[in-house]
Amino acid sequence: MLFGNPGKARVQLSPDGSQISYLAPVNGVLNVWVGPADNLEAARPVTHDTERGIGLYGWAYTNDHIIYLQDQGGNEQWQVYSINLSSGETMNLTPFEGITAVVGAMSDKYPDEIVIGINNRNASLHDLYRVDIKTGNMTLIQENTGFLGFYMDKDYNVRFAVKMTPDGGKEIFEPAENGSWTSFMKIGMEDERATNILGFDKTGEVIYMADSRDRNTAALYSLNLKTEERKLMAEDQQSDLNWIWTYEIVGLYVPQILVHPTEMNVQAAAFNYDRIHWKVIDPAIAQDLEYLRGVADGDFHVISRTLDDNAWIVVCIVDNGPKRYYYYDRKKGQARLLFTANSELEGRPLAKMNPAVIKSRDGLDLVSYYTLPLNSDSDGDGIPDKPLPMVIIIHGGPWLRDDWGYSADHQWLANRGYAVLSINFRGSTGFGKNFTNAGNMEWGRKMQDDLIDAVNWAVERGIADSNQVAFMGGSYSGYAALVGLTFTPETFACGVDICGMSNLTDWIESFPPYWQSVIDLMAVRVGDVRTEEGRKLLAERSPINYVDRIQRPLLIAQGANDPRARQNESDRIVQAMQKKDLPVTYVLYPDEGHGFARPENRLSFYAVAEAFLSQHLGGRFEPIGDDFQNSSITVPVGVEEIPGLEDAITEKG
């Protein structure tokens, strides 16, 4: 229910509004479904994946083609596919071995063509190709001579290119004669994360930017390329212009702004301190947003708009229930509920999420969120009747943030009797550049101190029992869990690390080729692997070098195909703990990458994790039973450490 596939997700309207698409399972695997906008009952799957499922897809402007991305076993070597809805034919638009393709642009002016970045010439660089989605014919439009990426207008003209600078900043260039480039804008390291070109207006003469230069929080600006006039459009003193994960075909992480689909003017912008709030720029949609605020009963995002702008898809976010998807008819000024993301969660007794601002030891405000088990707070003051065992879960990245809203992890753990706390530690994004840059060179130091300060806050307020706190997380959060058990070995009762980094030097040196452009940035934010001093610092911050300090049990989970935190990051710390005769259980999935995409694998991991947490924190757990069915789970080490695990593995065969 909590960790399976959603019933329906990532809903989109076709550009002409005649059809609706969404992701939904077929025999337990997520695929793209398409149906008439006025008859969802007639929707049918148009992809037929039987393994990991489809995650990234979008409509082409033909209204008769779906574009989607797919990798193999989580290796992130993405291929781009086109489906002809009329014929049912699927075509691989990037039929090259060992590449990682990205969809660079789509335009209603050229409905039959999209722009794809392909690194088949140089694994570190993506060249831009204009690709016919009907025939697969491709034409090179921009060879990449060393850029991180490009910005294109709706005519597929390459207008700007960006590359990292040695100081960790970035420089934006514009094309000049004879294929050369001239500098357009330099952005220092302190503004690199929050300052970006967002797009062009209809004329192509004005760009929209998120910009934190000469200020702390990133505001929305327009810049006239001819007159150089720069105008402030929207700002917030506490938070940056918000960015969200969309899982759309163009851009996974995008600014939360509303742009008219054909006029290309920015109409509203969202900011997020502890909750989302919208700032209206274009009065033409003020009434729409006011109406949707009344419908939402929580926070909301507009996730799809038709070209004529008569219909929107709106997703409403609450903390104690599934996402709700609405079809909003702008002419009628009415929204109708399409469905929820997970009908099995409707009406279930789910817990509320509480925002809190926690002071760090040096005075920073840490926007955090905590969830309590139902019926644990009889007077409703946000403090349980007695201190509870608590699990810390923070975001990965680390240059991301945690948000308010429904969290499967929070609900699962609260149901098992734990308080759950997520902390936006320094280095997190969204709270101004000063807060993000306060995390520079502080991996394993002040970034970790913030987490300890939050634990102490929860203990002091009677939320957590100081002897029953666990750390659980993935990616950077997995690294932080390892740091917690090595650098502060008596703070946590146990730890769960999912795809975390144990050796920062080796981690950076094993970056995939298409990440090499960010080495300069990593040097100023984490440590410089190219210098003796930098390598010394990275070694000091690497948990692998402090294994002998570990006093508490550890559960480690890893995908064998992970290109971001490779399997050896987990292998080595497991081996080091074995040599020290320290308790560790290692769960390995041969068909997963950076995180677990297959529902069967997610279910098996959480079954192991809750048995592990119960053993060391005392919360409830359900016996593993048949939770390993159809999972690829293996347990190379420590199967005897967790109750019921050895029997479940033996039964699985």
Side-chain angles (χ1 to χ4, degrees):
M1 184 188 304
L2 293 176
F3 301 113
N5 283 321
K8 296 181 178 68
R10 300 169 196 169
V11 187
Q12 298 182 38
L13 285 164
S14 62
D16 65 4
S18 65
Q19 300 172 86
I20 284 181
S21 61
Y22 53 83
L23 297 181
V26 177
N27 296 323
V29 179
L30 281 181
N31 278 277
V32 181
W33 293 57
V34 175
D38 58 358
N39 183 14
L40 283 177
E41 298 299 321
R44 297 291 182 270
V46 298
T47 60
H48 307 284
D49 188 70
T50 59
E51 297 180 3
R52 289 171 52 83
I54 308 294
L56 311 173
Y57 86 98
W59 282 91
Y61 283 99
T62 60
N63 296 293
D64 194 37
H65 291 80
I66 293 285
I67 309 297
Y68 72 94
L69 270 64
Q70 187 72 298
D71 71 346
Q72 295 295 318
N75 62 8
E76 299 186 16
Q77 294 180 2
W78 300 103
Q79 300 276 348
V80 182
Y81 296 86
S82 169
I83 309 167
N84 185 315
L85 298 180
S86 294
S87 67
E89 178 186 1
T90 298
M91 179 183 298
N92 186 351
L93 300 176
T94 54
F96 306 103
E97 290 291 330
I99 66 159
T100 297
V102 294
V103 177
M106 302 173 73
S107 173
D108 60 293
K109 290 187 173 183
Y110 304 96
D112 293 346
E113 297 177 309
I114 63 175
V115 175
I116 302 177
I118 308 175
N119 61 340
N120 59 327
R121 180 184 60 86
N122 183 330
S124 300
L125 302 171
H126 285 79
D127 300 325
L128 297 183
Y129 291 84
R130 198 160 167 166
V131 181
D132 189 308
I133 62 174
K134 295 180 177 178
T135 66
N137 293 335
M138 59 175 58
T139 303
L140 179 68
I141 61 173
Q142 182 65 62
E143 184 173 292
N144 191 338
T145 56
F147 294 106
L148 178 64
F150 300 93
Y151 299 97
M152 285 168 283
D153 60 24
K154 294 196 76 172
D155 288 310
Y156 292 155
N157 296 314
V158 177
R159 301 288 300 276
F160 298 104
V162 61
K163 65 171 54 176
M164 304 304 296
T165 56
D167 63 354
K170 58 190 177 187
E171 187 169 5
I172 298 175
F173 296 84
E174 55 185 341
E177 295 180 358
N178 303 319
S180 61
W181 299 84
T182 59
S183 180
F184 171 72
M185 180 184 298
K186 292 183 178 180
I187 301 167
M189 181 279 298
E190 66 277 6
D191 294 295
E192 174 273 334
R193 194 72 194 179
T195 301
N196 296 279
I197 293 175
L198 307 180
F200 298 83
D201 77 345
K202 189 176 182 178
T203 68
E205 297 177 358
V206 174
I207 59 173
Y208 301 114
M209 292 192 65
D211 201 338
S212 64
R213 293 172 299 168
D214 302 320
R215 54 181 297 134
N216 178 33
T217 58
L220 177 66
Y221 287 88
S222 65
L223 175 63
N224 189 300
L225 299 175
K226 288 189 174 181
T227 67
E228 298 185 357
E229 181 183 14
R230 181 170 175 259
K231 290 183 179 179
L232 176 65
M233 302 179 71
E235 64 175 338
D236 184 86
Q237 296 303 316
Q238 289 186 297
S239 58
D240 298 327
L241 178 68
N242 197 43
W243 289 64
I244 57 173
W245 288 101
T246 64
Y247 294 94
E248 293 179 355
I249 201 71
V250 182
L252 303 182
Y253 194 51
V254 298
Q256 197 174 9
I257 56 177
L258 296 183
V259 181
H260 191 281
T262 54
E263 295 302 313
M264 304 304 294
N265 60 304
V266 179
Q267 298 179 294
F271 296 84
N272 182 6
Y273 185 64
D274 58 352
R275 293 280 298 272
I276 293 287
H277 63 279
W278 287 91
K279 296 201 173 184
V280 176
I281 299 167
D282 182 356
I285 67 165
Q287 186 174 344
D288 301 297
L289 296 188
E290 184 63 30
Y291 170 77
L292 291 172
R293 285 190 193 98
V295 171
D297 189 31
D299 295 345
F300 71 90
H301 312 304
V302 179
I303 57 174
S304 184
R305 300 167 75 169
T306 56
L307 274 177
D308 62 14
D309 208 29
N310 287 334
W312 296 357
I313 298 294
V314 180
V315 60
C316 296
I317 310 294
V318 296
D319 56 350
N320 61 346
K323 294 177 181 177
R324 301 195 301 270
Y325 292 95
Y326 290 86
Y327 179 97
Y328 176 51
D329 187 321
R330 291 193 69 218
K331 285 187 174 181
K332 295 180 180 178
Q334 295 179 350
R336 60 180 170 89
L337 179 66
L338 295 173
F339 38 68
T340 63
N342 190 341
S343 60
E344 292 184 352
L345 291 177
E346 295 174 26
R348 298 279 183 171
L350 300 176
K352 301 287 289 183
M353 178 180 279
N354 303 286
V357 179
I358 300 170
K359 281 287 185 184
S360 71
R361 66 190 67 179
D362 57 353
L364 294 184
D365 289 335
L366 312 176
V367 176
S368 305
Y369 304 93
Y370 70 96
T371 301
L372 301 177
L374 291 175
N375 304 317
S376 66
D377 174 16
S378 59
D379 59 6
D381 64 352
I383 306 296
D385 299 336
K386 62 178 182 179
L388 298 169
M390 186 172 75
V391 180
I392 301 291
I393 297 183
I394 61 169
H395 62 77
W399 303 291
L400 299 170
R401 63 160 293 165
D402 279 315
D403 300 285
W404 177 89
Y406 171 80
S407 164
D409 285 338
H410 274 240
Q411 295 296 338
W412 162 58
L413 292 166
N415 180 267
R416 297 309 191 234
Y418 306 115
V420 194
L421 177 62
S422 296
I423 308 116
N424 284 303
F425 48 91
R426 73 190 66 204
S428 302
T429 53
F431 305 99
K433 68 184 182 187
N434 294 340
F435 189 81
T436 300
N437 292 326
N440 292 347
M441 312 302 286
E442 296 295 344
W443 284 45
R445 293 297 188 267
K446 291 183 179 180
M447 291 166 74
Q448 199 75 14
D449 290 345
D450 291 345
L451 307 179
I452 302 302
D453 292 346
V455 171
N456 293 336
W457 172 89
V459 170
E460 290 166 4
R461 277 154 184 75
I463 296 172
D465 180 336
S466 62
N467 296 315
Q468 292 183 297
V469 180
F471 200 134
M472 175 175 172
S475 194
Y476 173 83
S477 181
Y479 160 80
L482 295 177
V483 170
L485 266 66
T486 51
F487 289 25
T488 53
E490 296 181 355
T491 298
F492 300 100
C494 61
V496 181
D497 156 36
I498 309 163
C499 304
M501 300 81 81
S502 63
N503 186 322
L504 295 181
T505 305
D506 288 355
W507 170 61
I508 294 174
E509 288 183 330
S510 66
F511 278 1
Y514 46 89
W515 279 19
Q516 294 305 308
S517 58
V518 300
I519 293 294
D520 289 328
L521 179 61
M522 298 299 290
V524 296
R525 291 207 186 273
V526 185
D528 194 341
V529 74
R530 301 164 298 189
T531 69
E532 183 178 349
E533 181 182 0
R535 295 178 75 87
K536 180 181 178 182
L537 182 146
L538 291 168
E540 290 173 351
R541 312 295 173 85
S542 295
I544 190 67
N545 297 320
Y546 304 93
V547 171
D548 58 339
R549 295 183 182 177
I550 295 177
Q551 300 179 22
R552 306 293 165 79
L554 184 60
L555 169 63
I556 294 178
Q558 177 72 43
N561 302 319
D562 191 341
R564 299 175 182 236
R566 298 183 184 276
Q567 182 181 331
N568 59 8
E569 293 294 327
S570 293
D571 287 351
R572 280 188 295 225
I573 198 159
V574 169
Q575 291 162 6
M577 291 184 69
Q578 285 183 288
K579 288 180 181 178
K580 300 287 185 179
D581 200 27
L582 296 169
V584 60
T585 299
Y586 185 22
V587 176
L588 180 65
Y589 293 90
D591 57 350
E592 293 286 5
H594 198 59
F596 309 137
R598 293 185 59 229
E600 297 89 347
N601 289 339
R602 290 198 299 271
L603 179 62
S604 69
F605 167 71
Y606 282 105
V608 174
E610 78 170 25
F612 174 80
L613 292 171
S614 176
Q615 185 179 12
H616 302 293
L617 294 185
R620 296 190 306 107
F621 82 102
E622 295 181 3
I624 293 173
D626 60 358
D627 290 335
F628 290 1
Q629 187 174 352
N630 299 321
S631 171
S632 67
I633 185 172
T634 66
V635 187
V637 174
V639 69
E640 72 285 350
E641 297 285 348
I642 298 176
L645 180 54
E646 190 166 14
D647 289 343
I649 285 291
T650 301
E651 185 175 336
K652 177 181 180 294

